[in-house]
């Protein structure tokens, strides 16, 4: 394992990760798509049937959106696990390549040109996501304490006491060091 790279210990091992990611992607797609579809259905429904129109749009469209997300998540996790197995290391390059491969494979039916464009987009998107994740991790991580040098202790004279108010030190006896 390289210095500075850490393994995500919260994830399942690779064969189980694929199923876990398919389910998570379906849930995110169905929920997020359901929210979008509810708003769209309410907006497009006749005035007295807004709620019914929104609910009907969710009922018919959310499973389809969830399924699309599940396919993407399943392909991505399969490619990611395959790259981990082939390269014998788990780093951001696996996710970036898996995003590119997923985007390309999903567009193969549209032709090589569309697949290449989608692969490039998938790779760039995953590179941005991984880059943001690395930056957030570094910013949020506590800074390591600087090493303490072995220096002999130095005798320090006690600090002078603050002037009293009687000596013109400004004071009022409040705890503000003479400011109050």
């Amino acid at each position: 394992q390289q210095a500075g790279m850490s393994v995500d210990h919260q994830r399942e091992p690779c064969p189980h990760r694929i199923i876990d990611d398919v389910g998570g992607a379906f849930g995110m797609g169905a929920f997020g798509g359901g929210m979008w579809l509810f708003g769209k259905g309410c907006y497009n429904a006749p005035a007295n049937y807004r709620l019914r129109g929104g609910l009907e749009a969710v009922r018919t469209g959310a499973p389809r959106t969830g399924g699309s997300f599940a396919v993407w998540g399943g392909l991505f996790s399969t490619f990611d696990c395959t790259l981990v197995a082939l390269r014998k290391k788990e780093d951001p390059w696996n996710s970036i390549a898996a995003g590119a491969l997923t985007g390309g494979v999903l567009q193969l039916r549209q032709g090589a040109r569309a697949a290449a464009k989608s692969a490039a987009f998938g790779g760039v998107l995953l590179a941005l996501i991984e880059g943001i994740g690395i930056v957030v991790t570094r910013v949020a991580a506590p800074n390591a304490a600087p090493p303490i040098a072995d220096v002999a202790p130095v005798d320090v004279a006690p600090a002078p006491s603050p002037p009293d108010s009687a000596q013109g030190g400004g004071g009022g006896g409040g705890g503000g060091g003479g400011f109050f």
Side-chain angles (χ1 to χ4, degrees):
Q1 185 174 356
Q2 293 178 342
M5 302 304 289
S6 63
V7 177
D8 186 5
H9 295 287
Q10 303 296 325
R11 298 190 69 183
E12 294 285 328
C14 251
H16 302 287
R17 182 185 304 181
I18 297 168
I19 303 300
D20 191 40
D21 286 352
V22 167
F26 179 85
M28 285 191 296
F31 181 76
M35 291 184 352
W36 173 260
L37 290 166
F38 180 77
K40 188 175 174 183
C42 288
Y43 180 80
N44 290 329
N48 293 334
Y49 298 97
R50 301 261 187 225
L51 180 62
R52 186 177 295 167
L55 292 174
E56 183 65 17
V58 170
R59 186 185 70 78
T60 59
R64 183 174 36 250
T65 306
S68 296
F69 271 68
V71 168
W72 198 96
L75 274 176
F76 175 82
S77 289
T78 301
F79 285 131
D80 192 33
C81 287
T82 302
L83 290 169
V84 168
L86 291 174
R87 296 182 66 229
K88 304 282 191 256
K89 60 175 150 178
E90 197 162 336
D91 62 4
W93 291 110
N94 292 339
S95 295
I96 293 168
L101 288 167
T102 300
V105 166
L106 288 175
Q107 287 296 315
L108 274 176
R109 291 176 35 187
Q110 307 302 319
R113 179 182 224 124
K117 285 181 182 179
S118 187
F121 182 78
V124 168
L125 179 66
L126 264 294
L128 288 171
I129 291 170
E130 288 293 326
I132 290 169
I134 290 169
V135 168
V136 167
T137 301
R138 288 189 181 166
V139 168
N143 292 333
I148 299 173
D150 291 332
V151 179
V154 179
D155 289 334
V156 178
S161 60
D164 291 341
S165 60
Q167 295 174 345
F179 292 109
F180 297 107

